[in-house]
Amino acid sequence: MPSVLHNFIVFEGLDGAGTTTQMKLLAENCDKNDRACRATFEPTDKPIGRLVRSVLQKQIVTTPLALAMLYAADREDHLFNPVNGLLKDLDTGKLVICDRYLYSSLAYQGVECDFKKIEAINDFPAPEYVFFIDTPVDECIRRITSRGSATELFERHEFLEKVKSNYERIFTSLPSGVKLIRLNGMLGIDELAKEIFSTLFTE
Ligand code: TYD
């Protein structure tokens, strides 16, 4: 298996940065332009991903390392599941667009766990593109609060500051062949969507 997966596109950013919105808009734009794609997200909505969400929603308490292992197990299944894994879609030539990937584990779980351990359990192939939506922590917190839902495990200012500096560190040593595209998260939703689409589809 190649170490960089062609046509695999991931969105990364802090909670509230807008990755989910942009993942959906890119998929819509691909549909409109007859480019076959699969839009997806991590943690997934499959059994292991649902377990992760119940930890995030504080219904289950576990250790940071156990949670890191759950994220990694969810990812392993997401990529390699013999019935509906992402590799099968990539093999058929689809563009796979994923809201969060292993860089979220390195940045978030790296805050509370040994970084080398998190790296070791996330020895997965790299995507071709990483779109990093760079949104200030204050703005992320403002957006999370305005959603009005109960805050999840990681949605705290001090924690997100640490996640942000982890992302910066990780992005200095991405494997060669991975294209990192940094986006200004303060731009409007449509402006960002246009920038993403034109990065991918105009030379
Ligand atoms: P996300 O799907 O962005 O949140 P929601 O859809 O609930 O708004 O991600 C859920 C949380 O999980 C978010 O705080 C980021 C975190 N996360 C990790 O800590 N590690 C990971 O590997 C992934 C994929 C997400």
Side-chain angles (χ1 to χ4, degrees), residues 11-194:
F11 285 98
E12 291 286 352
L14 302 179
D15 293 77
T19 57
T20 308
T21 305
Q22 292 304 329
M23 171 272 278
K24 288 182 182 157
L25 287 174
L26 177 58
E28 277 173 27
N29 277 332
C30 287
D31 287 346
K32 278 186 207 147
N33 289 275
D34 292 324
R35 178 68 177 93
C37 74
R38 170 170 170 189
T40 184
F41 49 87
E42 294 186 359
T44 67
D45 54 3
K46 296 166 78 186
I48 308 170
R50 288 204 296 270
L51 202 51
V52 168
R53 287 190 193 276
S54 53
V55 178
L56 296 177
Q57 288 156 15
K58 304 170 197 167
Q59 291 149 359
I60 297 178
V61 175
T62 187
T63 66
L65 185 58
L67 178 59
M69 289 170 168
L70 287 178
Y71 276 115
D74 184 42
R75 182 162 300 127
E76 161 79 20
D77 177 67
H78 196 201
L79 282 170
F80 302 118
N81 186 291
V83 179
N84 50 22
L86 301 183
L87 283 201
K88 293 179 79 76
D89 290 297
L90 288 167
D91 281 347
T92 65
K94 272 191 191 167
L95 210 62
V96 172
I97 306 163
C98 191
D99 180 12
R100 299 192 176 282
Y101 187 53
L102 64 85
Y103 309 105
S104 285
S105 279
L106 300 179
Y108 281 75
Q109 280 60 64
V111 173
E112 294 178 300
C113 303
D114 175 57
F115 191 76
K116 290 258 168 267
K117 222 172 212 171
I118 302 303
E119 256 185 338
I121 61 174
N122 280 283
D123 186 20
F124 296 109
E128 183 178 358
Y129 284 93
V130 180
F131 284 100
F132 178 60
I133 307 186
D134 189 2
T135 311
V137 175
D138 282 338
E139 173 65 11
C140 290
I141 295 287
R142 196 189 61 70
R143 293 181 192 174
I144 293 165
T145 313
S146 72
R147 282 177 197 161
S149 48
T151 54
E152 290 191 340
L153 201 60
F154 301 134
E155 296 174 346
R156 290 174 286 123
H157 199 283
E158 321 76 72
F159 193 90
L160 291 183
E161 288 287 2
K162 290 180 188 160
V163 173
K164 184 154 191 157
S165 62
N166 277 348
Y167 267 128
E168 296 301 345
R169 194 160 48 93
I170 293 154
F171 290 153
T172 59
S173 57
L174 287 175
S176 68
V178 180
K179 296 166 204 154
L180 171 69
I181 315 290
R182 298 180 74 103
L183 300 163
N184 175 359
M186 296 303 283
L187 292 178
I189 290 175
D190 293 338
E191 210 174 338
L192 267 177
K194 262 191 206 145

